[in-house]
Amino acid sequence: MEIELPFKIDAHRRLCIKKDLIALSHWMDAITAINTEIDYLKIIEQQLIKEYDVEVTLQALRRKNTLLLAMLCKYEQELNTEYEYGKREYNVSRAKEHEKKRDTHIAFIQEFTQFKKGIYHKLSKYQRR
């Protein structure tokens, strides 16, 4: 037996899910941009840096990036389905679930930023002959 949510609770649930979808869209855009950046960093590594460790780290970052984007796409499908057909109230546990996804995204962004700092440091030592 399904229980209909009162109108105000359902409107609030939809609003919160919509907010989560908007945030998720920004995260996915950032992850997609990082994928392009990784392409350019790979070229820089091959032409200038030529270090095996950098190549391996880039490959690992690309894999993490791809897996993170796949996870976010799946989460987007879940949110869209919940927005259209769901009956579960938006509560603290749902907000925590969203925050876990955000934390995963932020951790990857921080890891990638640290890697880029290392690349910039190596490039700053580069001298033209």
Side-chain angles (χ1 to χ4, degrees):
M1 181 172 144
E2 282 189 32
I3 299 172
E4 272 303 307
L5 292 175
F7 178 75
K8 278 192 168 192
I9 293 174
D10 188 56
H12 180 262
R13 177 189 73 81
R14 286 177 173 267
L15 177 65
C16 290
I17 292 172
K18 194 65 165 172
K19 174 203 64 78
D20 289 351
L21 281 165
I22 291 168
L24 180 60
S25 174
H26 292 297
W27 302 345
M28 291 170 73
D29 289 345
I31 296 298
T32 303
I34 285 175
N35 199 46
T36 303
E37 222 174 323
I38 288 173
D39 290 338
Y40 288 114
L41 288 170
K42 182 135 180 84
I43 292 168
I44 290 169
E45 185 281 322
Q46 289 172 344
Q47 292 179 357
L48 295 174
I49 299 172
K50 299 177 183 176
E51 288 183 15
Y52 181 73
D53 291 345
V54 173
E55 181 183 353
V56 170
T57 304
L58 267 172
Q59 189 175 24
L61 285 169
R62 184 181 298 282
R63 284 185 184 131
K64 282 183 182 181
N65 189 54
T66 302
L67 290 173
L68 180 58
L69 188 57
M71 184 264 298
L72 293 177
C73 286
K74 184 176 182 220
Y75 181 51
E76 181 182 38
Q77 287 177 335
E78 291 169 7
L79 284 178
N80 281 323
T81 301
E82 182 62 29
Y83 182 83
E84 289 296 320
Y85 308 109
K87 300 291 182 200
R88 200 174 109 206
E89 185 177 352
Y90 195 97
N91 54 21
V92 173
S93 67
R94 289 190 88 176
K96 285 183 179 180
E97 179 184 318
H98 184 76
E99 290 304 308
K100 282 182 187 176
K101 305 270 195 247
R102 183 180 66 84
D103 290 344
T104 303
H105 167 73
I106 288 172
F108 178 74
I109 296 290
Q110 288 173 340
E111 180 182 357
F112 184 68
T113 301
Q114 285 302 113
F115 174 75
K116 283 194 310 185
K117 285 180 184 177
I119 293 292
Y120 295 147
H121 180 73
K122 288 178 187 300
L123 289 174
S124 68
K125 293 180 177 182
Y126 180 76
Q127 301 237 343
R128 183 178 254 183
R129 294 177 188 183

